[in-house]
Amino acid sequence: MTILERTATLLRPRLIRCWFAFACVHTLMACVQTAQSQTAATSPAVVAAPASFQGSIKLDGPWRFQAGDDPRWADPGFDDSNWTTVALSQPLTNQGIGAYSGFGWYRLRLEPQDLKQFGDLTAHAPLSLFVEGDSVGQLAVYVNGVEAGWTTGMTDRLIEYQSPPLAMPLAHTNPHAPIVLAIRSWAGPTTTIRRGLLDTVELGTQDAIAERAAAAVGQRWDERAISAMVVTFLFLCVAGLGGALYLAQQEHSEYLWLALLCLSVAAGGAADAAYGLGAMALGTYRIFTLFAGRVFMAVTLEFVLRFTGSKARRLIRSVQVALLVVPVLTLVHLDAVYDVVSVAAEVVFCALVCVLLFQSWRRGRSDAGIMLPPFFLAATADSADTILDYAASQHWLPEQFASHRFHLGPVEFGTSTVAYTVFLGSLVAVILYRFIRVSQDEQRANAEISAARSVQALLIPTHLPSNRNFVLDSAYLPVNGVGGDFFQVLPLKDDSLLIVVGDVSGKGLQAAMNSSTLVGALRNELSHDPATVLEHLNRVLLGAVATPGAVPDLDCAPCFATCLCARIYPDGTLTIANAGHLSPYQEGRELPLPPGLPLGVIADVRYEQATFQLDHRDRLVFVSDGVVEATNAEGELFGFERTQQVSRESARYIAQEARHFGQTDDITVVSLYVASKGARRSSAELTPASEDAAAQ
């Protein structure tokens, strides 16, 4: 409510008109007196009010000002007539005072007649004073030589803060005697003071001053904290989203670095809000933002590196180390060097981010191309204000853009807030799109692998056809869920067994499908002669079968395979042919097999087969190269010697030993134990016959 509205509720309209005329005359006389005497102590240019005035009056001046510091200047009897007269509404530099740093004092004398406008209020309750400083200026208020209030940093240890406004009662003052206000101001030596550190002083009733102080605090929140807190909250939410995505897809570390990137921005926003509300000192804020900005750049580079899958790790690591070292230059007082190096570091950072995203986009990553504009915007967010100022000075943009402050209702925000908000929205959209796409790809791949496992499970036996002549044991450990190793054990009508063990080149789904194709061809093979079986499988792998389409996908994905085919008879006779596979072990000894080319190398190859004799209780072990090529952390191979040492053990034991040593390839082990007593008799009968033949 205005002064006239308050008066209208108590006085008649005629008295209101009389009061208004009197107020105009009184104001005019005060101005004339001020112009006539500049050296005498003067009263503030306040507007007279009726005896029941309930509001506050702005004490704009004239004040007396003097740069420097002297405790005597708080004394109400001090003669300040030689000080410069100033008004708070104008910068000091416009009033004949040069820029300064450090301390400055303001003094104002209030005469008893200046307080009469508040009527009898001073007799019942003291008036209150509202004081607000400018920027990081610290204030101490003295009323009649007694310190009545001070800002946060105005203590024995002077510290620069964004201090909140002060509201203090004018207690222990005589309404019939003058009141001398003395305000001591200070800002650090690095702050050049041009406008002045005292912004507003108001005198009024307790209720009016309390409302004024609350409004000033609310305005401070609107201008200095709310936008920063909103940005902090949004980035914290996205950090939580990044953490959740990383837990869902831990093989994609870019989500973890996304969370760290957002946390670094949130930390900077929290520091902005804390500094704006006076909860953080200027020195602490400068150091924090100095390092927080460099940490943001280093983390952003790591995120972009993981996001794009770039191979330039060494270059990125070098830039990250340099970014984290740059702030140290200010701590050792190399400010001039820091200014140059800091600008160079920001240019390199922006260029690297843009180049990595552009290269990834050129390689076919559409999400990297979408990410490029907002990332460039975020990278230049801190420099956006400077760019706008320069563009406005060159008349490329309207002058209002030079202030680069915007308002959404009472909330004030800058261009960096806009840049970070746009960056965050784009970042969330691209990351969610990437997560959904990767999830769909993984589901499709898992479905394909699951189908391959189902096919492979049908073609690789889990229960071996042991009989009274032979006891079989096997172990199959693919390195990637599905593999290229395969084996089959086929019982024949004459109680013999046909064992085929092989390894298709490559790993994963394609190798599994190729091995499944060979197993299917093996089951359709009518001949049980080992050499003939290998020749047939060779034709299959080369795609030379008579029926078109019988070997799908082999034409587009050529491969080769090692294979071993053996037929064991109840009497212990072993007939075996080899196509480049590892030789089996008989009782810890490697069988000497003739060499042979792997399957799928050349057409119409002929394989040679050999015959051996197995004794009762002999163990014959077939292994794939995944056993021999197992490698530990030191790079040492499991090797043939260790394989030979464990070849007398069960198939499961051999496979687990190789796996624990360090599996790098599919592991297959098939073990055959000769339980037929006829094998021993046959061996015993063959020996004398051979001796008689030799004697003859």
Side-chain angles (χ1 to χ4, degrees), residues 420-440:
Y420 278 124
T421 303
V422 173
F423 163 67
L424 185 64
S426 304
L427 184 64
V428 171
V430 172
I431 288 299
L432 288 179
Y433 166 75
R434 178 185 176 89
F435 177 79
I436 293 173
R437 190 198 66 189
V438 170
S439 298
Q440 291 176 345

Side-chain angles (χ1 to χ4, degrees), residues 221-278:
W221 275 80
D222 292 338
E223 294 178 353
R224 304 180 183 179
I226 290 182
S227 62
M229 295 176 68
V230 169
V231 170
T232 299
F233 174 75
L234 293 177
F235 273 90
L236 284 176
C237 292
V238 178
L241 174 64
L245 296 180
Y246 175 69
L247 293 177
Q249 297 179 358
Q250 295 187 16
E251 66 277 10
H252 293 277
S253 59
E254 63 268 22
Y255 299 132
L256 176 61
W257 288 99
L258 166 67
L260 295 177
L261 182 157
C262 293
L263 286 177
S264 66
V265 178
D272 291 341
Y275 171 69
L277 295 176

Side-chain angles (χ1 to χ4, degrees), residues 137-402:
Q138 303 303 303
L139 305 174
V141 181
Y142 297 86
V143 179
N144 290 335
V146 179
E147 191 172 23
W150 57 90
T151 55
T152 308
M154 201 65 163
T155 60
D156 294 338
R157 184 183 177 186
L158 297 170
I159 304 175
E160 290 181 291
Y161 281 93
Q162 290 274 9
S163 298
L166 299 175
M168 65 205 78
L170 294 180
H172 309 296
T173 57
N174 186 355
H176 305 292
I179 298 176
V180 178
L181 302 178
I183 300 178
R184 182 190 186 209
S185 66
W186 172 84
T190 59
T191 302
T192 301
I193 305 169
R194 292 182 173 86
R195 189 196 181 283
L197 299 180
L198 185 60
D199 187 67
T200 304
V201 180
E202 294 185 18
L203 178 67
T205 61
Q206 284 185 337
D207 292 342
I209 294 301
E211 291 179 3
R212 179 69 178 87
V217 171
Q219 183 180 6
R220 186 172 293 253
W221 275 80
D222 292 338
E223 294 178 353
R224 304 180 183 179
I226 290 182
S227 62
M229 295 176 68
V230 169
V231 170
T232 299
F233 174 75
L234 293 177
F235 273 90
L236 284 176
C237 292
V238 178
L241 174 64
L245 296 180
Y246 175 69
L247 293 177
Q249 297 179 358
Q250 295 187 16
E251 66 277 10
H252 293 277
S253 59
E254 63 268 22
Y255 299 132
L256 176 61
W257 288 99
L258 166 67
L260 295 177
L261 182 157
C262 293
L263 286 177
S264 66
V265 178
D272 291 341
Y275 171 69
L277 295 176
M280 180 181 290
L282 176 61
T284 305
Y285 174 71
R286 282 175 175 170
I287 295 176
F288 182 88
T289 54
L290 193 66
F291 282 94
R294 306 307 170 191
V295 169
F296 164 75
M297 292 182 182
V299 173
T300 301
L301 282 176
E302 189 66 27
F303 168 73
V304 174
L305 178 67
R306 304 297 179 95
F307 181 83
T308 59
S310 174
K311 303 299 183 182
R313 292 182 177 271
R314 182 172 299 180
L315 174 63
I316 298 300
R317 296 289 182 268
S318 301
V319 175
Q320 287 172 327
V321 172
L323 287 172
L324 296 176
V325 171
V326 166
V328 179
L329 296 175
T330 61
L331 301 181
V332 295
H333 307 293
L334 296 176
D335 295 336
V337 178
Y338 168 78
D339 292 339
V340 176
V341 175
S342 177
V343 172
E346 290 187 8
V347 171
V348 171
F349 165 72
C350 296
L352 266 179
V353 169
C354 295
V355 168
L356 290 177
L357 290 173
F358 180 76
Q359 289 179 344
S360 180
W361 174 67
R362 288 290 301 271
R363 292 196 302 266
R365 296 279 297 276
S366 58
D367 48 0
I370 299 173
M371 188 81 75
L372 183 57
F375 251 97
F376 179 78
L377 185 63
T380 58
D382 294 335
S383 306
D385 293 346
T386 304
I387 295 173
L388 287 176
D389 285 342
Y390 181 78
S393 66
Q394 298 296 319
H395 304 291
W396 298 340
L397 293 174
E399 289 295 332
Q400 59 266 28
F401 283 93

Side-chain angles (χ1 to χ4, degrees), residues 466-472 495 497 568-570 672-675:
S466 300
N467 54 34
R468 60 186 180 87
N469 297 317
F470 308 106
V471 178
L472 291 167
D495 289 338
L497 293 178
I568 305 99
Y569 294 88
L672 179 140
Y673 177 77
V674 180

